[in-house]
């Protein structure tokens, strides 16, 4: 193969990526490392969310991802209720969340009173995240 690397598809988080395979070492792929600033959505879901005072606001129930850009647009915060019953879901713009390693959770610049007035929905009635709905959410949070 004239010293060139053969290229094979591998899969990572649902996106095709390329991993080099040295021609003289078939079956040995170049290691693909995921950096410490990348996390699986499975690990994000269930992560506790705090306000800046350290009060627990809830946990992340879901992530809403832009189909075109592939970027996370909203973290859906599960808040209220008891033992998962009667809880509401609050979409929060992803860029508002900051990961705090000392709390092993996300921090948002919100308090419970602000969340009480925020756009929300029951688990059984997930809205269409169309332009009207996302505009309502974004406006509420000042975007």
């Amino acid at each position: 193969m004239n010293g060139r690397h053969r290229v094979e598809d591998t899969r990572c988080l649902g996106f095709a990526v390329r991993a080099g395979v040295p021609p003289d070492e078939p079956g040995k792929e170049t290691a693909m490392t995921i950096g410490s600033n990348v996390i699986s959505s499975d690990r994000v879901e269930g992560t506790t969310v705090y306000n800046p005072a350290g009060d627990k606001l809830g946990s992340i129930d879901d992530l809403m991802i832009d189909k075109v850009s592939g970027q996370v647009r909203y973290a859906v915060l599960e808040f209220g209720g008891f033992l998962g019953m009667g809880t509401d879901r609050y979409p929060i713009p992803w860029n508002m969340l900051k990961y705090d390693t000392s709390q092993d959770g996300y921090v948002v610049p919100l308090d419970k009173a602000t969340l009480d007035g925020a756009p929300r929905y029951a688990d059984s009635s997930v809205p269409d995240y169309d332009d009207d709905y996302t505009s309502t959410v974004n406006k509420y949070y000042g975007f």
Side-chain angles (χ1 to χ4, degrees):
M1 289 196 173
N2 301 335
R4 292 186 168 168
H5 287 11
R6 190 167 43 101
V7 176
E8 293 182 358
D9 281 336
T10 59
R11 300 282 169 190
C12 176
L13 299 175
F15 296 98
V17 294
R18 300 288 194 190
V21 179
D24 54 341
E25 300 179 53
K28 182 179 179 185
E29 294 184 11
T30 305
M32 183 171 54
T33 308
I34 296 178
S36 62
N37 62 341
V38 175
I39 189 168
S40 165
S41 62
D42 284 345
R43 293 196 58 206
V44 174
E45 293 169 358
T47 302
T48 303
V49 177
Y50 302 93
N51 66 16
D55 301 322
K56 179 181 175 180
L57 296 176
S59 61
I60 296 177
D61 180 62
D62 206 357
L63 299 176
M64 303 308 287
I65 301 169
D66 185 295
K67 290 189 283 187
V68 176
S69 72
Q71 300 296 309
V72 175
R73 299 253 318 262
Y74 302 96
V76 181
L77 177 69
E78 184 177 46
F79 171 69
F82 181 70
L83 298 176
M85 297 174 60
T87 57
D88 287 322
R89 274 52 178 183
Y90 297 77
I92 299 175
W94 181 250
N95 60 355
M96 290 183 69
L97 285 85
K98 303 296 179 220
Y99 191 76
D100 184 334
T101 56
S102 67
Q103 293 184 335
D104 198 24
Y106 291 94
V107 175
V108 293
L110 304 170
D111 56 23
K112 290 181 182 181
T114 303
L115 278 179
D116 283 337
R120 69 180 137 218
Y121 55 89
D123 188 37
S124 60
S125 60
V126 178
D128 290 331
Y129 276 75
D130 58 15
D131 290 340
D132 289 337
Y133 186 73
T134 58
S135 176
T136 298
V137 172
N138 292 340
K139 282 180 186 175
Y140 183 81
Y141 292 108
F143 295 104

